Amino acid sequence: NDFFVISGTKKRFRVFDLTQNGQPVHTYASAFPIRCIDIDSNSDMIACGITGRDRLTGAEQALIVFHRIERNKVTSEPEISPPTTITLPYRDPINTLQFSDDGFYLSCSTTFESRFLIISLRKFNEPRLIMKSLRSIDTSLESEGITDVKLFPGNPGLMCVTSAAFNAPPIVVNTKIKNIDGLQSVAQPTMLIRLEELGSSIHKCEISPRNDSIAFLDRNGSVYIMFSPTMVDSDKRRIVLVDMVSNAYRAHESAALRFSSDGHKLYILDRKGILHVEDFSYGLPQGHEVTKCKEIN
């Protein structure tokens, strides 16, 4: 809520202080193109995914650069410490980054090899890879690989992964990061849910703060909600179609999804600038202004 971060195509990002009427407070110039960014909910950290090159061999390398934001104890002015960098053990470019609610973990996915990872930030100066896995690779022209990766709010033991690739419907996995013991351990997740009903062209997912629902956005603009109180019991799982928004050929053109803090509303903003608001607590089912969702499952 304190800072606004913008990255562009000129290898730099800028930080604006919203507590000072949007005053620019920091500019970072990267030596390599910035592919994706995220800022944690406490306004303490910025993560940048970049693709660097080894100076000796020229080989590409996936890097994540972390910047810590701190307030000066005397002036309260924001100060950004020198960046900390973690090198992923892959040459595959980074596609998505997302902080957990508490800022202790960062989820990450790669572009071509469809890997999804979790990095622990409990020691900020020592970021550590603690979970890794991958989905099947689709090399066709229509494939976009993994399109979104989200940790559950307040529960990094669960993660949702979406893809736009052959035979790759959305999945919910148990990350197993709570079972890690020792500094060198890397968890291997297990699959809890595979949502065949939604197909294999999902661009986005958004998890309700209540942890009982996930919104999905299809390439054709269909917005679905999966309700599952436990994310384990398939008998209690329901999937409904809640809206149709502008379609998108690629994930970077697709609509943005956000739940309200209480999980009662879903906000959808598509590429045509149309804002859709789905209010699931507006009224009773028999109300004449209430529209029923189309049940898929």
Side-chain angles (χ1 to χ4, degrees):
N1 292 329
D2 294 342
F3 299 100
F4 182 48
V5 185
I6 303 175
S7 71
T9 57
K10 296 184 178 181
K11 304 180 184 179
R12 69 182 65 178
F13 73 75
R14 302 180 71 193
V15 182
F16 300 84
D17 190 342
L18 300 181
T19 65
Q20 299 183 37
N21 299 316
Q23 177 182 339
V25 294
H26 182 70
T27 298
Y28 172 73
S30 170
F32 305 102
I34 300 172
R35 296 186 56 88
C36 48
I37 61 170
D38 195 23
I39 184 168
D40 81 316
S41 58
N42 298 317
S43 296
D44 291 335
M45 249 182 295
I46 303 167
C48 299
I50 64 176
T51 303
R53 286 187 179 275
D54 187 282
R55 292 181 179 179
L56 297 177
T57 65
E60 290 190 342
Q61 194 73 52
L63 309 170
I64 301 176
V65 183
F66 298 97
H67 303 258
R68 194 177 191 106
I69 306 173
E70 297 177 299
R71 294 277 184 184
N72 186 290
K73 294 180 179 179
V74 178
T75 65
S76 295
E77 294 290 324
E79 298 178 344
I80 299 183
S81 59
T84 299
T85 302
I86 180 173
T87 303
L88 299 185
Y90 314 108
R91 296 181 180 178
D92 198 14
I94 297 168
N95 190 34
T96 66
L97 291 175
Q98 183 238 345
F99 280 104
S100 62
D101 268 13
D102 54 15
F104 288 152
Y105 302 101
L106 182 75
S107 65
C108 170
S109 69
T110 67
T111 303
F112 301 118
E113 297 176 358
S114 291
R115 300 179 184 274
F116 55 99
L117 325 163
I118 296 179
I119 295 162
S120 172
L121 299 169
R122 289 189 172 274
K123 294 182 179 179
F124 172 73
N125 293 323
E126 300 176 14
R128 188 165 69 88
L129 179 65
I130 59 171
M131 190 216 79
K132 62 179 181 179
S133 188
L134 73 164
R135 305 205 69 181
S136 57
I137 299 174
D138 178 4
T139 58
S140 67
L141 293 177
E142 295 79 16
S143 171
E144 299 177 70
I146 292 177
T147 52
D148 208 358
V149 176
K150 292 284 172 63
L151 291 166
F152 276 54
N155 183 10
L158 295 178
M159 170 189 275
C160 183
V161 183
T162 68
S163 303
F166 176 73
N167 195 29
I171 58 174
V172 176
V173 300
N174 180 349
T175 63
K176 297 293 186 73
I177 61 175
K178 295 179 181 179
N179 301 333
I180 290 179
D181 52 359
L183 293 177
Q184 301 302 319
S185 297
V186 178
Q188 296 291 329
T190 57
M191 187 164 59
L192 298 175
I193 300 174
R194 181 180 168 93
L195 294 165
E196 300 279 2
E197 306 95 322
L198 296 183
S200 298
S201 57
I202 300 296
H203 275 162
K204 294 277 178 66
C205 67
E206 183 66 15
I207 301 165
S208 168
R210 301 157 64 96
N211 270 221
D212 60 0
S213 306
I214 308 175
F216 295 96
L217 173 68
D218 189 275
R219 181 182 280 167
N220 65 12
S222 299
V223 180
Y224 302 94
I225 294 270
M226 182 199 73
F227 172 75
S228 179
T230 64
M231 294 294 160
V232 177
D233 191 349
S234 60
D235 292 337
K236 296 181 180 179
R237 189 164 70 234
R238 296 177 65 194
I239 301 175
V240 295
L241 174 67
V242 298
D243 207 346
M244 288 289 297
V245 301
S246 296
N247 64 344
Y249 181 66
R250 291 292 178 183
H252 68 268
E253 300 172 338
S254 62
L257 306 176
R258 284 292 184 277
F259 276 101
S260 60
S261 59
D262 58 11
H264 291 164
K265 297 183 181 69
L266 176 66
Y267 301 96
I268 311 158
L269 180 64
D270 65 25
R271 62 184 174 83
K272 294 183 178 179
I274 302 173
L275 175 66
H276 305 251
V277 181
E278 308 294 335
D279 189 345
F280 304 107
S281 61
Y282 178 78
L284 298 175
Q286 59 267 30
H288 70 280
E289 292 183 341
V290 176
T291 303
K292 291 185 178 180
C293 300
K294 180 182 178 182
E295 190 161 353
I296 306 299
N297 179 9

